[in-house]
Amino acid sequence: MKKKAIFLIFISILLVMLPVIASAHPGKTDANGGHYCRTNCAKWGLKDGEYHYHNGGGSSTEKEREDKNKSTTTPANTTLLLPKKQTVGTLQVYYFDVGQGDSTLIRTPKDQYILIDGGNNNQGKNVVKYLESLGVKTLDVMIATHPDADHVGGLDDVLKAVDVKSVYAPKVSHTTDTYIDFLTAVKKEGRTIKSVTKGVTIPLNGVEAKFLAPVNTYGDDLNNWSAVLKVTYKNNSFLFAADAELQSENDMLLDKSSLKADVLKVGHHGSTSSTSKSFIDAVKPKYAIISVGKNNYGHPNSGILTRLKNVKSTTYRTDQKGTITAISDGTKITFTSTKESK
């Protein structure tokens, strides 16, 4: 009798829960805590396939999540610590401090400028200030590595502020307001987007810049669509991994890409979703840069920091060093930053 009673209770609970289960729209969350709506999207106020986050029984789009989390991410600074402009004739890489996001400026020895990403929406004006302080009036190249807001959010501000000759991005679309703002700004400036896949090169004077990824197509997995760029100047090389995750890293390894680089911009802010042992063993970086700010994701992960230490890589973090500048004369790389580490 006791077993029968327990069984009846279980059946009763199941019947109560069935409507709730039927109305849910399951989907594995990614490393950012979000996913794409699969079923019953209208019930949640979403479009089919829209990227969103669950928020205590409700659901929010990426844009709404950004607005809510502004207090938990590094805010836009009112007084910026500006990097010092280096002497022309060297390769300079400025890893801007944009909080929890990515934005990097490359200045070639021939005075050409490449901007990779622009941080979150609330960092766009800061990126413009960084560029102005470095005397940048024209960008030869702008790269939007993938549609995530912490990478493309500030690019519309940059497009409005400086002349941009060419724009590169992987051929993946997104429906967020942030990404649409970027596309609208590109169109308004009379530019078209050049598609990024492995093997595409950027024409520069005296410097080789080649995309190593995306190697394949990745459906709605935006991070693995990341445009991964390798820049080589004489004997020195820099690898910019954006948010490429393990699948993209494995594809680059299988593709036998030349991954070895002196400096690695660590993938996905030091998340466990990236920087596999096989990948880091192939890159063998002497230096690693992590672009990161205050966040709720546990970035950078302690295991990733240990992995970098194990390959004897010196690691610099923007949350500790501020904007980090790497200067290469083609043989030797030196670093400077806008604040001391904590």
Side-chain angles (χ1 to χ4, degrees):
M1 288 295 293
K2 188 174 181 181
K3 288 183 178 179
K4 184 176 181 181
I6 293 171
F7 177 74
L8 289 172
I9 291 170
F10 172 76
I11 292 298
S12 299
I13 293 171
L14 183 60
L15 288 172
V16 170
M17 290 299 294
L18 273 175
V20 177
I21 294 169
S23 67
H25 60 286
K28 184 179 178 182
T29 58
D30 59 23
N32 290 321
H35 71 152
Y36 294 85
C37 185
R38 293 288 183 241
T39 59
N40 299 299
C41 301
K43 174 181 173 62
W44 295 87
L46 301 169
K47 299 175 183 176
D48 289 349
E50 183 170 2
Y51 188 84
H52 67 289
Y53 305 84
H54 287 287
N55 183 17
S59 190
S60 58
T61 64
E62 185 175 25
K63 181 80 164 59
E64 291 165 344
R65 175 84 169 200
E66 290 166 28
D67 293 339
K68 181 178 178 182
N69 281 352
K70 278 183 181 178
S71 62
T72 62
T73 56
T74 304
N77 297 319
T78 53
T79 303
L80 286 182
L81 297 175
L82 300 172
K84 181 182 177 183
K85 186 173 183 177
Q86 303 298 314
T87 306
V88 69
T90 57
L91 179 71
Q92 302 153 28
V93 183
Y94 300 86
Y95 301 89
F96 292 147
D97 179 10
V98 290
Q100 182 66 11
D102 262 17
S103 186
T104 304
L105 177 72
I106 303 169
R107 182 191 185 192
T108 74
K110 299 293 185 181
D111 226 19
Q112 292 175 293
Y113 291 96
I114 303 97
L115 180 69
I116 306 174
D117 291 332
N120 263 302
N121 278 309
N122 67 338
Q123 291 288 338
K125 288 180 173 55
N126 286 346
V127 174
V128 171
K129 289 178 182 178
Y130 285 137
L131 296 176
E132 289 174 347
S133 73
L134 294 169
V136 181
K137 295 180 180 179
T138 299
L139 286 171
D140 295 272
V141 176
M142 172 184 281
I143 301 169
T145 59
H146 64 299
D148 277 358
D150 59 331
H151 291 252
V152 302
L155 292 181
D156 56 337
D157 286 323
V158 175
L159 282 156
K160 294 170 189 174
V162 301
D163 180 40
V164 179
K165 292 183 178 179
S166 58
V167 181
Y168 289 78
K171 197 172 184 179
V172 57
S173 60
H174 204 18
T175 58
T176 58
D177 289 343
T178 299
Y179 193 61
I180 291 170
D181 287 346
F182 161 66
L183 296 178
T184 301
V186 172
K187 185 177 180 180
K188 190 173 181 180
E189 295 303 311
R191 300 290 179 262
T192 56
I193 296 176
K194 298 181 180 181
S195 182
V196 171
T197 57
K198 67 152 188 175
V200 171
T201 59
I202 299 173
L204 297 171
N205 298 323
V207 172
E208 180 184 283
K210 182 178 182 180
F211 290 104
L212 305 186
V215 175
N216 293 313
T217 58
Y218 300 95
D220 55 18
D221 189 345
L222 297 182
N223 285 339
N224 278 318
W225 274 100
S226 287
V228 176
L229 181 71
K230 183 176 181 180
V231 173
T232 304
Y233 174 52
K234 296 182 179 178
N235 295 324
N236 290 150
S237 53
F238 296 74
L239 188 64
F240 304 89
D243 277 1
E245 296 187 344
L246 303 181
Q247 186 177 355
S248 177
E249 290 181 355
N250 288 337
D251 287 343
M252 284 185 275
L253 289 166
L254 290 171
D255 192 53
K256 301 198 180 298
S257 303
S258 178
L259 293 169
K260 192 174 185 313
D262 296 298
V263 184
L264 170 68
K265 203 293 295 179
V266 175
H268 204 186
H269 320 287
S271 167
T272 55
S273 67
S274 307
T275 321
S276 67
K277 185 179 185 303
S278 297
F279 186 76
I280 207 70
D281 285 346
V283 179
K284 295 183 175 65
K286 296 176 184 176
Y287 308 97
I289 312 296
I290 301 177
S291 183
V292 67
K294 184 179 179 182
N295 66 89
N296 297 324
Y297 309 123
H299 300 163
N301 176 266
S302 59
I304 298 300
L305 294 175
T306 299
R307 187 170 291 166
L308 292 166
K309 185 177 180 181
N310 288 342
V311 295
K312 296 181 170 49
S313 179
T314 300
T315 301
Y316 299 107
R317 296 166 46 170
T318 57
D319 61 337
Q320 296 178 346
K321 291 283 190 180
T323 293
I324 299 159
T325 306
I327 307 109
S328 167
D329 63 4
T331 302
K332 181 181 178 182
I333 303 172
T334 56
F335 290 85
T336 183
S337 63
T338 55
K339 64 181 181 182
E340 295 298 324
S341 62
K342 296 178 182 178

